[in-house]
């Protein structure tokens, strides 16, 4: 049965990979993002292949706008089967004592509070229908801090704990909750972290074949389509030559 899948941060990276993979699976999509032009480009790409797509332009940090968009969904789009909480970012790579207050606020507001907002807005409907799946995009960084990753690692540790807590909260329902924890994925992640320093960002992936957004999306689609009695609770996905968040063997 085709599902209605809501994906945040759907214009690039893992979010875009999820949009394309769920579309290929025959699902219909609600895609959110901050960039209206890019969202429209993605909508056209997928619509040309026969996918039914609705786009919503908002930043998950803007709770009022997110609430407005979800609460005013057309009736035929309100029953969301899968929520992919993908919107997130890392900013800066400095020692904690030299970190940027603005970077900290943006990461906490996006990675934690934005995820909570979307969960709060969407999951009550799932509980009412006794059906649904929440897929949170965490990170290997949530398992253990790495040098200069302090606040970003903390936000992804929070994603793990929040995901685990939600799974407990809905254990009496048929809702499933998944935490996907990617390692090194080549997206615009590093370019964002280094505030547009493309040369520094490119160095992150030198000497190793990193994961792609599509690789993570494959796991998301698998989890969403596992038999109803199977809950894929947590998956750590690493590049072959990555042993942990801090151990990468470059060749």
């Amino acid at each position: 049965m085709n599902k209605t899948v809501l994906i945040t941060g759907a214009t690039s990276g893992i979010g875009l990979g999820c949009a394309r993979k769920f579309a290929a699976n025959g699902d219909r999509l609600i895609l959110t993002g901050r960039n209206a032009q890019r969202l429209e480009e993605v909508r056209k790409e997928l619509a040309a292949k026969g996918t039914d797509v609705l786009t919503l332009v908002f930043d998950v940090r803007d709770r009022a706008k997110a609430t407005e968009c979800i609460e005013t969904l057309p009736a035929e789009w309100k029953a969301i089967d899968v929520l992919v909480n993908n919107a997130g970012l890392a900013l800066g790579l400095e020692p904690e004592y030299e970190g940027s207050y603005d970077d900290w606020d943006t990461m906490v507001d996006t990675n934690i509070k934005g995820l909570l907002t979307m969960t709060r807005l969407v999951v009550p409907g799932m509980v009412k229908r006794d059906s649904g799946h929440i897929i949170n995009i965490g990170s290997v960084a949530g398992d253990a801090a790495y040098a200069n990753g302090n606040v970003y690692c903390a936000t992804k540790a929070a994603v793990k704990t929040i995901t685990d807590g939600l799974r407990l909260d809905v254990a009496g329902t048929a809702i499933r909750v998944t935490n996907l924890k990617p390692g090194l994925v080549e997206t615009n992640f590093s370019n964002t972290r280094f505030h547009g320093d493309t040369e520094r960002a490119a160095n992150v992936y030198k000497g190793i074949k990193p994961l792609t957004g599509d690789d993570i999306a494959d796991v998301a689609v698998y989890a969403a389509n596992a038999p109803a009695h199977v809950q894929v609770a947590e998956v750590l996905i690493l590049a072959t030559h990555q042993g942990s968040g801090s151990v990468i063997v470059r060749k």
Side-chain angles (χ1 to χ4, degrees):
M1 180 178 176
N2 294 346
K3 300 178 175 69
T4 298
V5 182
L6 190 158
I7 304 167
T8 65
T11 58
S12 65
I14 294 172
L16 178 57
C18 285
R20 288 170 172 160
K21 293 288 184 175
F22 277 105
N25 190 58
D27 299 315
R28 63 181 196 153
L29 306 177
I30 303 172
L31 305 181
T32 86
R34 295 174 297 169
N35 187 325
Q37 180 179 342
R38 182 67 188 126
L39 269 178
E40 178 59 14
E41 291 170 356
V42 175
R43 187 197 68 78
K44 287 181 177 178
E45 172 195 330
L46 299 177
K49 298 177 181 178
T51 302
D52 199 4
V53 182
L54 176 70
T55 59
L56 303 174
V57 182
F58 66 88
D59 188 326
V60 295
R61 293 178 296 171
D62 187 341
R63 185 170 294 161
K65 184 64 175 178
T67 301
E68 176 189 349
C69 287
I70 299 303
E71 290 186 347
T72 60
L73 281 170
E76 65 271 21
W77 288 94
K78 284 186 178 295
I80 297 166
D81 299 299
V82 180
L83 168 63
V84 181
N85 275 317
N86 165 74
L89 76 170
L91 290 172
L93 195 66
E94 301 87 21
E96 188 172 322
Y97 56 85
E98 295 178 354
S100 160
Y101 293 122
D102 289 341
D103 285 354
W104 293 350
D105 287 345
T106 300
M107 286 187 283
V108 170
D109 290 348
T110 304
N111 300 357
I112 302 176
K113 293 165 69 176
L115 180 147
L116 285 170
T117 292
M118 295 306 300
T119 301
R120 182 66 180 83
L121 291 171
V122 173
V123 174
M126 293 181 175
V127 172
K128 185 176 181 180
R129 296 186 300 275
D130 194 29
S131 177
H133 195 154
I134 302 93
I135 300 175
N136 291 334
I137 306 300
S139 172
V140 62
D143 289 344
Y146 53 75
N148 299 327
N150 40 79
V151 174
Y152 172 70
C153 294
T155 66
K156 290 303 184 177
V159 169
K160 173 178 170 53
T161 305
I162 289 166
T163 306
D164 290 345
L166 178 61
R167 193 180 303 111
L168 296 172
D169 291 340
V170 300
T173 75
I175 297 168
R176 301 182 294 185
V177 185
T178 300
N179 181 23
L180 299 186
K181 304 188 300 184
L184 196 64
V185 184
E186 187 168 12
T187 64
N188 63 355
F189 174 90
S190 291
N191 196 55
T192 299
R193 162 167 263 173
F194 299 130
H195 299 282
D197 186 338
T198 54
E199 182 177 352
R200 189 179 180 192
N203 286 332
V204 173
Y205 310 107
K206 281 188 175 179
I208 186 171
K209 185 172 183 178
L211 301 167
T212 69
D214 285 350
D215 294 328
I216 310 308
D218 282 335
V219 183
V221 172
Y222 171 81
N225 288 279
H229 70 288
V230 176
Q231 179 170 213
V232 180
E234 185 171 283
V235 183
L236 175 64
I237 312 115
L238 301 176
T240 298
H241 295 293
Q242 179 173 16
S244 71
S246 58
V247 176
I248 298 171
V249 179
R250 303 177 188 276
K251 297 184 176 181

